[in-house]
Amino acid sequence: MSSVVDKHRQVKSSWSWLVAVVILTSAAVLALKNCSGERLVTEMIPVVPRRSVPFAVAYGKPEGSVASTSSFIVATAETEAATNWESERWSNQANARLDQLAQWLTRREANELPVALGRGASPFAEALADGIPVSTETRISFKIVHVQVIADGFETTVSAELAYPAESPTHQRNSQWQCQWLSQRDGGPMLDSTTLISSEELQRPESQSTPWFVDVTASVLADEANSPQHTTGIDGWSQRLTRIDEMTLQGHHGLAVGDVNGDALEDLYVCDGGGLPNRLYLQQADGTLEDISARSRTDWLESSSAALLVDLDNDGDEDLVVATVPLILFSENDGSGRFEFRGGHEAVPSAYTLAAADYDNDGDLDLYATNYSGRAGERMGARGFEAQAPLPFHDANNGGRNALLENQGDFEFHDVTERVGLDANNRRFSFSAAWEDYDNDGDQDLYVANDFGRNNLYKNNDGAFVDQASRLKVEDIGAGMSVDWADCNRDGNMDLYVGNMFSAAGNRVTFQSQFSEQREEGVVADVQRMARGNSLFLGVEDASFRDVSLEADVTVGQWAWSSKFVDFNNDGWQDLLVANGYLTNRRPDDL
Amino acid sequence: MSSSQNTDAYVSAWSELMRQVRQGASWSGNERNRVFLHGGVTQEGTPRYADVSALSGMDFPDDARALGVTDWDHDGDLDVWIRNRTAPRLRLMANQHVQKARATDSITLRLEGTKSNRDAIGGRVIVALKGEKQPLIQTVRAGGGFLSQSSKSLHFGLGSSGEVIQSIAVRWPNGTTESFSGITPGSRAVLIEGTGAARIETKDRNLALKPKPVVLENAGDRLTSVFPRRVLAPALSFLPEIRGPLWVILWSKDCPHCHAELQAMTAAAAGLKKAGLKVLAISLEDEYSNAFFKSIAFPFPTMVVDETILARLQGLQASLFDQPPPPSVPLSFLLTAGPDRAITAIFRSAVGPEMVLAHLPLTRASDTQLRDAAAPYTGQWYTRPQPSETLSKYLAEKMHAHDRLASAYYYEHAGLTATAARIHYDVGMDGNGTPKAESAFRKAIALKPDFAKAHNNLGALLANQRRFKEARSCFEQAAKLEPSNEKAQLNLKLLEQMQ
C-alpha cells in the first residue's frame, strides 16, 4: 500500500487518489536548445482572485504610493533598507523576468521568446513545460528562495509550480531550479542557464471528476453562508466596527467542532471579532445547519478568538469555553444545546489557542490557554506584537503569560501555572499549544508554539512539568504558529508538526553577507532558521525526536497557521493540511 | 549604534509595517493553503510528502486561520471546516474520497470515559491491522492547531488493499487498557470505558452534499458605521452654534455623489425640519460651492474649511478603526445636540435623508442602546459598555500623533487633567509667542493651576510683548509655586531692569 520513495530514482506509486511521479534529479543540467514555439495561446495567466471585499469608496482621493519594504528584514531591526541590497535588487529584477517568462509561456503571442530574457530562457521554458499542455489554462508561479551574487551576475534558487487547468487543476508539477543570470547595466538581468534541482509531478486519476475537496458551504448553511457576517472579510469589518468593541484587523478568530445536543451529529461553533456575534450552528439530519446562536445563548458579542466544546463537569454533554478579550468564559450545557453563563477566569486575557486535557489524571478536564501579549484588565489596548515588541526577535521572552487552569468542579478553575512548573520560559508570544503523551508514560505532556524563537515541550511527571525542548532538540527556532501530533511514520511514537513561517524574502536576505557581517554567528543561524518554515519532528525510541522537515519536504507551508495531520485518503498515513496567508489587502504591493 | 537605538529602530520597524498595512498594503497576502500528501516512508522510517496543493481543491488565498476536521456527513472520509480572515470567512470542504456510498476503508471511534474524564481526552486508541507490523495509534484531543478544535471522534483510514482489523485497544486517560471487538471496516462506534463492548452507530446518511460555494456579492450598507459609544469630536470644535442634533456633510466639487446627496437633502428639507434634525454642509473648496448652493437653493447653513479638517477627521477614523478607510467624500456625521457634540454615526457614502433620519433616535439613545445599535446582528454581551473615561483615554493616546489639541481634550475628559495641561504647555512652547501659544499656556494653567513652568513661560511670552504687569504676576506665581525655580527669579530681576 505504502510506497517507499527512493532518492535519485523515479518511483511510480499508485496512491488511492493520485498518480504521483516523484523525480529527484540531482543537478541534471539541461541542454540548450531552441524553443519549438508550437502552442499558441492568447490570454493572460490567471491572476489570483481577490477574496476580500473591502468597502467600496463612493469617491476617494488617490492614495500616495508607498515603497514596499521587506518585512522580514525590517522585523529583524535592519537599519538600512534591505530592498537596496544588491541581492534584493537582483531578486526583484529576476522576478520580473520570470513573470515575463510565465506570461510568454501561457500566451505564446510571439513564436520567439523576447531576446532580452537571455539565452537560457528558451530551454528553461521548454523544460518547465516539457510534456504538458501549457496554455492560458495553466497557472504558473515562481518563488525566488535564494540569491547569490557571483562574477558577472548572480544565481537564484527558484521554485516553480505549474498547475492546469487553472480552474480545478488535474495536473501539478513542482520543480526547483538553480538559475544563473548575467547582470546588465541597462534593461535588467538575462537568464543564462538553468539547472534542475528537483521535480515532482502529480495528477488526478482520470476516473476522478472532482478535486479532492469541494466547497459545499452554501449547501449546508443555506442563507447564513451568504450572510454579510461571513461574506465580508475582517478588513471590511474593521473599517465598519470600531476598536471600542475590540474589532481588530488580524482576523484571529477560530472555530470548534462538537456535538452540543447529543444526537451524534457534529455541530459547529464559530468565533468572531468584537461586535459580531459568535455563532452556534446545529447540524440537522440532512447535514444542513440551523443557526441556534440566540436560542442557545452562545451569541457572545465580545471579541472571541477560540472556543472548546468539552464536558467540563462530566455530566455527559459538551460545555462551552470561549477565549474572549477580558475572560476565558465558561458556559454550561443543559444537554439540549442550551447554555448558561458560568463566569470565567481572568488569568489569560485575549487568549489565543485553548487546549484541554486532564493533566493530573483526577478525572476532570483542565484547560491550557496561550497568551501572546494580552494584559489583564486592559480594554481597547493594542493587540499582538503591537502591544509589546518581541525582544530579541529570534528569542523573545517578554510576551504574555500562558496559564494552566485546574478544574475544581462546578465551573471553578484555579490558575496552577506556577505551582506545576509551567511558568518556566513562559513569556514567549505563544500562539498555540497541544497535549500529547509523547513519552508514553501515562500522563499528558504539552508542546507550546511561540512566535519569536524557541518553543516549549513540557514533560509531565505526575503533574509536575519540566521544559525539555532544548534537551530533546525540539525548540524549533522559528515563528511558531501551531502544533499538532500524530504517528505519521507508524512506528508507535507520536510525531510533531509545527506550523511556522516560511519566508522567501527571509531565506534570500539572511544568507547575504550584509546580513551576517553585522551579527554574531549564533544569531545569524537562528534568524536564518526562522525563515525555514514548518517543521516535522519524528518521535523516536527513548522519547526523543529527529528533525526530518527537509527530508520529508514539508517546510513550505508559507505563512502557516493551523498545520494539521489529516489522513484524507483513508490510506492509514497522515497527510497534512496547512492554513495559509497573513494579511491580504486592497493594494497590490506586499511587504 | 547603541543597543537602545537598535531597539528603538526595531520597535519602530514593527509600527511601520502595521502603518503600511493600515494604508492598504498586503503582508504575505494572497498566499494559498498548502496540502501535503503522504507518500510512504523510507527504510529509515522518514515519511515523504508531495505538495498537492493545486490538486486538492483547498488552495484558496483566504488568509486561513483555523481548521476543524470531522467526518461531517458520516460517509467515512474526513471533511474540513475552514475559518478565514478574508471572505468567505467560513467554508465546509467536503472530502470526495467517498462520493456515493459510505467508505469501507475507515472506522470512526468515539470514546466515552466513565472513570476517566467523560470526553476521554488523552485516551489513546491502538488499532492493529492484519498483515501490518505496526498498529495505527491516535489520541483524543481537544484544541490545538491554531484557534481550532476538531472532532473528538477518532478517524482511522485503513487502506484499500483489504487490510482487516485484528484488534482494537484503548488506553484510557487513567491508565487502564481495555480491548474492544466487533468493529468492522466502515463502521462508526462508541467505546465506553469499562464495558468492553463497542456500541455500533453506523447509519447511512446518504447526504451527497452538493458543491456550492458562498456568493460574495453584497456591499449592503456597510459604508455606514454606528458608534457603540458617543464619540466626542474636538476635530469638529469649529462648528458654529446650532441647537439640536446635527447632520454635517463634507463635500467636494468634483464629486457627483456629493451633489446628489446635497440635492436629496434639499428636497427633503421640510421633513428634516419636522424631525428636528439640523443640517450643515461643509465645502472643501471656496469658489464654486456658493454657486452650486445657489443653483439648487440649498436651504441649510454652509461653511468652507480647508483639507486640514478632513485630515483631522481622518485621524479620528484612524484611531477608531483598526483598518482605517481611505479618506473620501461625501463624508457625513450624525452629531448629538450640544454643547459637547459627539458623533453617533458616520456615513462614508451618499445615503439620502431617509437613512439619516432612521439614525436620528441614536442621538438620544443610552449607552447600552447605542452598543446594541452598533452591532450589525443581535447577540449578547457579558461586559458593560466601555466607560467614557476609558474611551477618552484611549482616544487621547491614539490622537496624540494626529492632533495634539484633540488629544488634550480627550485627556481632560478622561479626568487626566495634568496630562492635558502638559500637552497644552507643549503646544505653547512650540507656538513661538503667538496668540495661539498664549492661549495654550493659559489653558495649561487653567487645568493645572500649580503648573509653575507654564506660569513662568506665559510670563516670558507676555514680557516679550511688553505686557510687563501681567508678566510680573506670572513670574511671581511661578516663583511662589516653585521657590527653587531659578528661571522665575531671574525673570523677575530682568523685568525690573527692563522697566
Side-chain angles (χ1 to χ4, degrees):
Chain A
M1 175 61 226
S2 65
S3 64
V4 174
V5 180
D6 192 358
K7 261 189 174 175
H8 312 300
R9 203 159 61 86
Q10 190 172 317
V11 178
K12 278 200 177 187
S13 69
S14 90
W15 297 334
S16 63
W17 252 80
L18 293 180
V19 181
V21 186
V22 181
I23 315 164
L24 291 156
T25 323
S26 55
V29 182
L30 290 164
L32 293 171
K33 58 179 181 182
N34 284 332
C35 177
S36 64
E38 287 163 7
R39 294 175 284 265
L40 282 165
V41 271
T42 51
E43 279 174 56
M44 298 274 288
I45 48 167
V47 284
V48 176
R50 307 255 0 185
R51 292 290 166 183
S52 52
V53 191
F55 297 149
V57 174
Y59 173 78
K61 294 185 180 295
E63 291 170 79
S65 66
V66 181
S68 162
T69 54
S70 161
S71 60
F72 192 82
I73 279 315
V74 175
T76 54
E78 213 47 52
T79 47
E80 78 245 68
T83 37
N84 294 330
W85 291 4
E86 193 186 1
S87 57
E88 280 300 277
R89 279 206 318 275
W90 289 136
S91 172
N92 285 336
Q93 293 186 13
N95 231 339
R97 286 298 195 218
L98 293 170
D99 278 351
Q100 272 178 287
L101 185 80
Q103 285 215 12
W104 182 85
L105 263 171
T106 50
R107 293 169 77 178
R108 295 283 172 97
E109 272 176 348
N111 286 345
E112 295 293 326
L113 264 166
V115 179
L117 287 179
R119 63 174 181 156
S122 173
F124 183 42
E126 192 75 353
L128 275 172
D130 185 30
I132 56 175
V134 177
S135 72
T136 50
E137 289 299 301
T138 310
R139 208 161 79 190
I140 302 181
S141 61
F142 293 108
K143 226 172 186 137
I144 298 177
V145 295
H146 192 73
V147 185
Q148 174 83 44
V149 180
I150 53 170
D152 301 334
F154 60 100
E155 282 185 351
T156 58
T157 307
V158 175
S159 290
E161 183 187 298
L162 273 77
Y164 64 96
E167 283 302 312
S168 185
T170 55
H171 290 70
Q172 179 173 354
R173 174 179 289 180
N174 312 316
S175 53
Q176 269 224 335
W177 303 81
Q178 193 67 31
C179 301
Q180 281 83 34
W181 304 81
L182 296 174
S183 45
Q184 305 284 303
R185 193 155 295 169
D186 313 301
M190 290 174 88
L191 187 58
D192 196 47
S193 66
T194 49
T195 308
L196 181 66
I197 299 167
S198 68
S199 163
E200 63 184 6
E201 187 141 353
L202 303 115
Q203 72 182 77
R204 187 205 293 168
E206 275 166 25
S207 59
Q208 211 62 54
S209 59
T210 64
W212 215 306
F213 289 94
V214 298
D215 186 340
V216 299
T217 319
S219 72
V220 299
L221 263 172
D223 295 342
E224 288 85 351
N226 295 321
S227 151
Q229 184 170 358
H230 300 311
T231 59
T232 304
I234 282 292
D235 45 356
W237 282 121
S238 53
Q239 289 183 32
R240 174 178 172 183
L241 298 175
T242 64
R243 294 291 319 278
I244 300 170
D245 287 332
E246 315 274 3
M247 175 56 77
T248 54
L249 63 78
Q250 298 276 350
H252 290 334
H253 311 291
L255 48 76
V257 170
D259 173 11
V260 300
N261 62 345
D263 64 355
L265 302 179
E266 300 278 25
D267 310 306
L268 179 71
Y269 191 73
V270 184
C271 297
D272 219 328
L276 292 173
N278 297 341
R279 296 283 182 187
L280 177 57
Y281 295 114
L282 193 69
Q283 187 180 178
Q284 310 297 300
D286 63 0
T288 61
L289 293 169
E290 185 193 353
D291 179 359
I292 60 160
S293 319
R295 174 153 53 94
S296 64
R297 295 186 298 190
T298 55
D299 52 348
W300 303 110
L301 288 157
E302 280 83 5
S303 180
S304 306
S305 49
L308 292 180
L309 287 163
V310 284
D311 189 351
L312 292 176
D313 53 358
N314 287 331
D315 66 348
D317 54 40
E318 304 295 318
D319 307 303
L320 177 66
V321 186
V322 188
T324 66
V325 170
L327 291 178
I328 292 173
L329 72 80
F330 312 117
S331 227
E332 181 180 358
N333 193 343
D334 70 357
S336 71
R338 193 177 159 86
F339 290 80
E340 187 191 343
F341 181 49
R342 295 297 307 269
H345 204 290
E346 292 178 326
V348 187
S350 309
Y352 283 152
T353 304
L354 303 171
D358 180 8
Y359 89 95
D360 51 358
N361 284 335
D362 66 350
D364 57 27
L365 288 175
D366 312 302
L367 298 168
Y368 188 77
T370 62
N371 180 359
Y372 191 90
S373 60
R375 280 179 277 203
E378 189 170 69
R379 307 283 299 271
M380 285 191 291
R383 299 277 167 251
F385 51 74
E386 290 185 279
Q388 176 71 53
L391 279 169
F393 174 69
H394 64 288
D395 191 19
N397 196 13
N398 63 332
R401 175 181 178 272
N402 307 327
L404 177 64
L405 303 178
E406 186 180 304
N407 197 336
Q408 306 295 308
D410 201 27
F411 295 85
E412 278 287 314
F413 286 82
H414 285 177
D415 180 350
V416 296
T417 318
E418 193 175 358
R419 176 163 68 72
V420 301
L422 284 173
D423 237 350
N425 251 334
N426 193 29
R427 294 283 198 286
R428 291 194 163 276
F429 296 88
S430 310
F431 267 131
S432 174
W435 297 93
E436 180 57 76
D437 179 14
Y438 78 94
D439 54 0
N440 300 322
D441 68 349
D443 51 27
Q444 297 290 307
D445 312 297
L446 180 71
Y447 193 86
V448 183
N450 303 322
D451 198 2
F452 303 99
R454 293 185 268 155
N455 296 339
N456 314 105
L457 174 55
Y458 295 104
K459 177 177 159 46
N460 186 347
N461 296 311
D462 292 328
F465 293 86
V466 180
D467 189 351
Q468 296 281 297
S470 172
R471 194 179 71 78
L472 297 174
K473 299 188 174 62
V474 289
E475 285 188 312
D476 192 38
I477 290 167
M481 317 282 213
S482 80
V483 48
D484 197 24
W485 295 91
D487 179 10
C488 72
N489 62 347
R490 289 169 63 170
D491 68 348
N493 296 306
M494 284 294 179
D495 312 312
L496 182 59
Y497 192 52
V498 184
N500 282 321
M501 179 186 82
F502 170 85
S503 163
N507 277 294
R508 292 194 304 267
V509 170
T510 58
F511 286 87
Q512 301 305 318
S513 56
Q514 290 103 314
F515 187 81
S516 51
E517 274 161 11
Q518 298 176 359
R519 289 175 178 76
E520 291 166 41
E521 217 168 285
V523 175
V524 173
D526 285 356
V527 179
Q528 286 171 349
R529 177 66 164 69
M530 286 198 71
R532 190 184 79 170
N534 288 4
S535 297
L536 177 61
F537 297 97
L538 292 183
V540 292
E541 288 310 308
D542 305 326
S544 58
F545 292 89
R546 185 158 67 89
D547 182 352
V548 297
S549 317
L550 293 169
E551 292 161 78
D553 209 3
V554 291
T555 56
V556 191
Q558 296 180 250
W559 196 295
W561 296 100
S562 283
S563 300
K564 192 160 176 43
F565 287 111
V566 182
D567 174 9
F568 47 71
N569 57 356
N570 285 352
D571 67 352
W573 296 96
Q574 297 287 336
D575 313 297
L576 290 162
L577 295 185
V578 181
N580 181 25
Y582 187 26
L583 298 167
T584 302
N585 219 330
R586 58 181 185 271
R587 256 170 33 193
D589 59 324
D590 203 304
L591 299 172
Chain B
M1 179 180 285
S2 76
S3 82
S4 74
Q5 275 175 313
N6 245 332
T7 304
D8 289 349
Y10 170 78
V11 171
S12 61
W14 282 109
S15 329
E16 173 59 19
L17 282 170
M18 289 313 291
R19 196 183 65 81
Q20 296 217 16
V21 167
R22 294 197 166 93
Q23 287 186 348
S26 291
W27 183 357
S28 283
N30 298 303
E31 290 194 351
R32 292 168 179 271
N33 298 331
R34 311 307 294 178
V35 180
F36 301 115
L37 182 71
H38 198 296
V41 293
T42 64
Q43 262 139 22
E44 297 80 48
T46 305
R48 292 279 324 187
Y49 285 89
D51 183 337
V52 296
S53 309
L55 305 182
S56 67
M58 296 276 269
D59 65 335
F60 301 104
D62 287 348
D63 294 354
R65 296 288 182 265
L67 300 172
V69 179
T70 171
D71 179 5
W72 185 258
D73 48 6
H74 293 192
D75 67 350
D77 57 24
L78 288 172
D79 312 304
V80 185
W81 281 99
I82 317 180
R83 184 73 171 143
N84 300 318
R85 179 183 168 274
T86 59
R89 297 186 50 226
L90 190 60
R91 291 187 193 264
L92 173 58
M93 301 304 299
N95 192 331
Q96 301 301 293
H97 176 71
V98 179
Q99 282 172 306
K100 293 184 185 106
R102 197 162 36 80
T104 52
D105 57 356
S106 68
I107 52 170
T108 302
L109 306 176
R110 184 167 65 80
L111 305 194
E112 203 174 289
T114 51
K115 295 187 194 73
S116 305
N117 71 82
R118 186 79 166 29
D119 288 328
I121 289 162
R124 185 176 287 181
V125 176
I126 301 119
V127 177
L129 300 173
K130 276 194 187 125
E132 292 277 318
K133 257 197 298 191
Q134 286 292 347
L136 302 167
I137 62 169
Q138 282 188 51
T139 306
V140 183
R141 254 193 301 278
F146 179 57
L147 312 176
S148 306
Q149 182 188 1
S150 291
S151 173
K152 290 189 289 292
S153 293
L154 300 178
H155 176 96
F156 289 88
L158 303 173
S160 56
S161 51
E163 281 160 313
V164 187
I165 297 162
Q166 188 172 311
S167 68
I168 293 180
V170 177
R171 196 192 74 189
W172 295 97
N174 67 8
T176 57
T177 300
E178 192 176 359
S179 289
F180 288 87
S181 55
I183 300 158
T184 52
S187 50
R188 302 178 61 86
V190 183
L191 312 182
I192 300 170
E193 184 177 13
T195 64
R199 193 174 81 215
I200 305 296
E201 287 190 340
T202 318
K203 203 170 112 187
D204 283 339
R205 294 182 73 197
N206 292 321
L207 296 185
L209 300 173
K210 300 267 180 316
K212 202 172 172 192
V214 168
V215 183
L216 282 186
E217 322 295 332
N218 48 41
D221 66 341
R222 273 157 290 141
L223 295 162
T224 297
S225 182
V226 172
F227 287 1
R229 294 289 319 222
R230 286 187 181 78
V231 174
L232 294 166
L236 294 172
S237 59
F238 63 88
L239 290 180
E241 199 167 312
I242 297 173
R243 302 180 110 198
L246 176 65
W247 182 71
V248 178
I249 176 169
L250 278 89
W251 73 287
S252 164
K253 68 181 164 104
D254 298 325
C255 157
H257 300 284
C258 300
H259 297 180
E261 183 80 332
L262 293 168
Q263 277 164 328
M265 291 298 166
T266 304
L272 295 169
K273 191 176 174 192
K274 200 173 155 210
L277 179 66
K278 303 293 168 56
V279 172
L280 172 71
I282 299 179
S283 317
L284 293 175
E285 303 90 0
D286 199 355
E287 311 153 36
Y288 180 86
S289 55
N290 280 337
F292 177 76
F293 285 134
K294 204 171 258 177
S295 76
I296 65 165
F298 191 65
F300 306 107
T302 66
M303 63 188 296
V304 181
V305 296
D306 58 25
E307 287 194 26
T308 56
I309 295 295
L310 194 60
R312 294 174 80 184
L313 289 168
Q314 191 59 22
L316 183 62
Q317 292 210 62
S319 302
L320 284 168
F321 298 95
D322 209 26
Q323 180 73 65
S328 66
V329 284
L331 181 65
S332 64
F333 301 88
L334 182 61
L335 305 173
T336 57
D340 275 334
R341 288 207 187 269
I343 303 174
T344 53
I346 188 165
F347 308 95
R348 301 184 190 115
S349 63
V351 286
E354 292 80 14
M355 179 80 132
V356 177
L357 283 175
H359 286 79
L360 181 60
L362 295 178
T363 60
R364 296 180 294 269
S366 71
D367 290 346
T368 315
Q369 287 169 329
L370 266 182
R371 184 165 67 158
D372 287 343
Y377 308 99
T378 57
Q380 56 174 333
W381 302 93
Y382 71 84
T383 53
R384 274 191 278 275
Q386 304 276 20
S388 62
E389 294 77 20
T390 311
L391 174 56
S392 287
K393 180 168 179 284
Y394 168 82
L395 285 170
E397 287 163 5
K398 279 275 182 183
M399 285 299 284
H400 193 262
H402 302 289
D403 183 345
R404 280 193 296 179
L405 288 176
S407 173
Y409 176 92
Y410 288 123
Y411 273 120
E412 193 182 338
H413 247 272
L416 300 164
T417 45
T419 316
R422 179 76 214 185
I423 293 172
H424 283 294
Y425 172 84
D426 290 344
V427 172
M429 291 300 284
D430 294 346
N432 272 334
T434 57
K436 238 184 200 167
E438 182 184 337
S439 74
F441 284 132
R442 289 195 189 281
K443 182 78 187 167
I445 291 165
L447 287 166
K448 190 172 184 290
D450 63 348
F451 200 161
K453 279 189 182 136
H455 284 286
N456 178 67
N457 294 353
L458 175 61
L461 181 148
L462 296 169
N464 285 331
Q465 295 174 7
R466 308 193 65 78
R467 292 154 73 184
F468 296 125
K469 202 176 156 194
E470 292 167 82
R472 170 173 298 278
S473 96
C474 288
F475 293 141
E476 281 169 357
Q477 266 296 329
K480 192 174 134 197
L481 287 165
E482 204 176 274
S484 61
N485 191 327
E486 290 169 9
K487 281 187 181 140
Q489 309 286 1
L490 192 68
N491 281 335
L492 279 170
K493 274 183 204 146
L494 278 171
L495 201 61
E496 264 167 43
Q497 287 165 13
M498 284 170 87
Q499 282 173 319

